[in-house]
Amino acid sequence: MGLDFHLLNTSSTGGRRAALHLPHQTVQTPVFMPVGTAGSVKAVAQNVLESLNAEIILGNTYHLYLRPGHEAIGRMGGLHKFISWPRGLLTDSGGFQVFSLSQLRKVSDEGVQFRSHLDGSSHFFTPEHSMDVQIALGADICMAFDECTEYPAERTRAEESLRLTIAWAERSLHHFRAHQHEVAWHAELPGRSQSLFGIVQGGMYRDLRRQSAERLVEMDQAGSGFDGYAIGGLSVGEPRDLTLEMIAEVLPLLPANKPRYVMGVGYPDEIEQYARLGLDMMDCVLPTRAARHGLLFTSEGRLNIKGKKYAEDQGPPDPACDCMVCRRYSRAYLRHLMQASEPLSATLNTIHNLAYYLGIMQRVRGSLHSNA
Ligand SMILES: [Zn+2]
């Protein structure tokens, strides 16, 4: 019943080419996962995501819990059905948004009390509740409830935060294993089940990062531990060499036969670098969010499409890109759409940026394959 993660090849730098067999989709890794915050990758329809070969997308538990509500989604058969996305889905634990978006939060060992950023209503999230919400949403992969340590954080603060994250990981795992059969598609996909990933925290302290990874891996002793491991709390404002240092500290401690996911990272060159080091999964709002602000990632570097110099530039956004936007539209047109605040602007910019990010991973996978 465990998660089927089939390693196909490992390169000399540690990069891994694998097939991740999820209940709804076999995902080729290393993979980049577009972020679909509230059940939608902003501005891009599901059929377009399919044509871009996106095999797995993210949903944010916090947003979906507040609106339309996990119980409603559960009654409608889960998130896959509700948003009409037959491929892979991963939900975060809600923790990150509770800490970054909500107001008046109060953290205790039990959980976190917070007010909705939408209407000020009061809510209480515990690890158990986060699991119930994620089981109702029914994503292929769920995440343990954690506290993302802010940056910078004093050592005592990082230690306390890690203590909480470890205790919450244990409770998440226990509750998840006891209730995962309640997922809406349980009867439809016999023998398939949701997976749960643990999250390594520890701020920017190498020994805390190590401790975090070791404790999570120890929870596997009974054979029903986490199905994969994520490294969280990175790209929170720290310099990039520090991000890399934390990743390098943790990677050797994570079991080679399970997927590894670095959360919320990063720029195009970063995702390529991490994939070549042996990280299998990545997500980031950067390509989608930047697109809505007119920032395009291209083979020639970053391009701010708002620039006046593109006013009559009839060339494609990225001459080396063969996405549906670059094949059809000019820089001048994309600039005009932005100037005129046309909704199509966000759509076209996002499609290109996602094609660019997904293309990077496709190239990395190709190069890892040829080493075999
Ligand atoms: Zn393109």
Side-chain angles (χ1 to χ4, degrees):
M1 279 281 274
L3 177 58
D4 182 2
F5 180 66
H6 187 60
L7 270 176
L8 302 168
N9 184 34
T10 303
S11 77
S12 55
T13 59
R16 296 127 59 91
R17 171 85 181 80
L20 175 60
H21 299 281
L22 299 177
H24 291 83
Q25 175 78 31
T26 292
V27 175
Q28 303 302 321
T29 68
V31 67
F32 177 78
M33 306 182 283
V35 179
T37 306
S40 157
V41 174
K42 288 191 198 309
V44 182
Q46 278 73 330
N47 66 306
V48 178
L49 294 171
E50 286 168 0
S51 69
L52 289 170
N53 287 325
E55 291 184 326
I56 176 169
I57 63 172
L58 248 76
N60 283 126
T61 291
Y62 171 86
H63 291 282
L64 295 164
Y65 158 80
L66 289 177
R67 188 172 58 192
H70 61 290
E71 284 163 340
I73 292 176
R75 284 192 296 272
M76 292 186 276
L79 193 56
H80 286 93
K81 274 199 179 139
F82 178 56
I83 71 169
S84 186
W85 178 252
R87 298 187 178 182
L89 263 177
L90 181 150
T91 47
D92 65 359
S93 70
F96 185 75
Q97 271 80 23
V98 165
F99 290 101
S100 61
L101 287 180
S102 72
Q103 294 140 16
L104 297 170
R105 19 168 233 279
K106 211 175 135 201
V107 184
S108 63
D109 278 13
E110 183 52 24
V112 51
Q113 177 96 40
F114 63 95
R115 285 191 185 279
S116 157
H117 74 293
L118 295 175
D119 61 6
S121 55
S122 185
H123 303 266
F124 191 59
F125 248 61
T126 62
E128 290 79 11
H129 188 48
S130 169
M131 295 307 107
D132 287 338
V133 173
Q134 292 186 74
I135 291 167
L137 295 175
D140 300 275
I141 298 174
C142 303
M143 301 301 297
F145 192 62
D146 65 327
E147 187 187 48
C148 177
T149 313
E150 67 283 356
Y151 177 80
E154 296 289 335
R155 179 162 179 108
T156 48
R157 158 74 194 131
E159 281 173 352
E160 173 55 20
S161 176
L162 178 58
R163 183 188 68 78
L164 212 53
T165 286
I166 291 171
W168 287 357
E170 218 150 12
R171 282 166 56 189
S172 295
L173 185 58
H174 184 76
H175 193 82
F176 185 82
R177 292 293 176 229
H179 294 273
Q180 65 184 121
H181 61 278
E182 293 164 20
V183 70
W185 42 261
H186 183 70
E188 269 167 62
L189 297 171
R192 304 295 190 95
S193 56
Q194 288 183 290
S195 294
L196 182 67
F197 282 24
I199 306 178
V200 174
Q201 292 283 353
M204 301 302 156
Y205 299 94
R206 293 166 70 150
D207 62 318
L208 295 185
R209 285 276 169 186
R210 269 202 314 277
Q211 191 190 327
S212 179
E214 284 164 357
R215 292 295 303 276
L216 289 178
V217 174
E218 275 167 24
M219 293 177 200
D220 197 20
Q221 275 168 352
S224 59
F226 291 107
D227 299 296
Y229 298 91
I231 309 176
L234 294 178
S235 231
V236 287
E238 80 281 9
R240 227 158 103 175
D241 51 354
L242 199 50
T243 316
L244 199 58
E245 207 180 303
M246 294 304 123
I247 289 175
E249 194 70 34
V250 167
L251 265 185
L253 302 173
L254 301 178
N257 62 347
K258 291 188 179 182
R260 308 151 167 181
Y261 162 29
V262 60
M263 306 178 78
V265 179
Y267 284 96
D269 55 325
E270 279 181 289
I271 64 166
E272 172 160 2
Q273 185 179 19
Y274 301 150
R276 292 194 184 284
L277 285 175
L279 285 150
D280 310 298
M281 305 162 67
M282 280 157 249
D283 80 285
C284 193
V285 292
L286 192 59
T288 40
R289 183 177 289 165
R292 299 195 298 280
H293 292 100
L295 183 66
L296 303 181
F297 296 99
T298 77
S299 58
E300 297 170 344
R302 296 178 212 174
L303 185 155
N304 190 336
I305 200 66
K306 286 178 289 192
K308 205 168 174 196
K309 61 179 168 180
Y310 303 120
E312 296 189 22
D313 186 336
Q314 296 184 70
D318 181 353
C321 178
D322 71 344
C323 84
M324 61 186 88
V325 176
C326 292
R327 282 201 315 263
R328 181 158 192 166
Y329 303 105
S330 66
R331 291 174 174 180
Y333 181 57
L334 293 190
R335 177 179 184 270
H336 162 73
L337 290 177
M338 191 104 208
Q339 293 292 110
S341 302
E342 284 290 335
L344 185 59
S345 165
T347 298
L348 298 185
N349 292 350
T350 305
I351 290 172
H352 164 75
N353 275 357
L354 285 179
Y356 188 72
Y357 266 65
L358 293 165
I360 290 170
M361 288 308 199
Q362 192 174 4
R363 274 199 310 281
V364 172
R365 287 196 300 270
S367 72
L368 290 173
H369 205 63
S370 61
N371 289 342

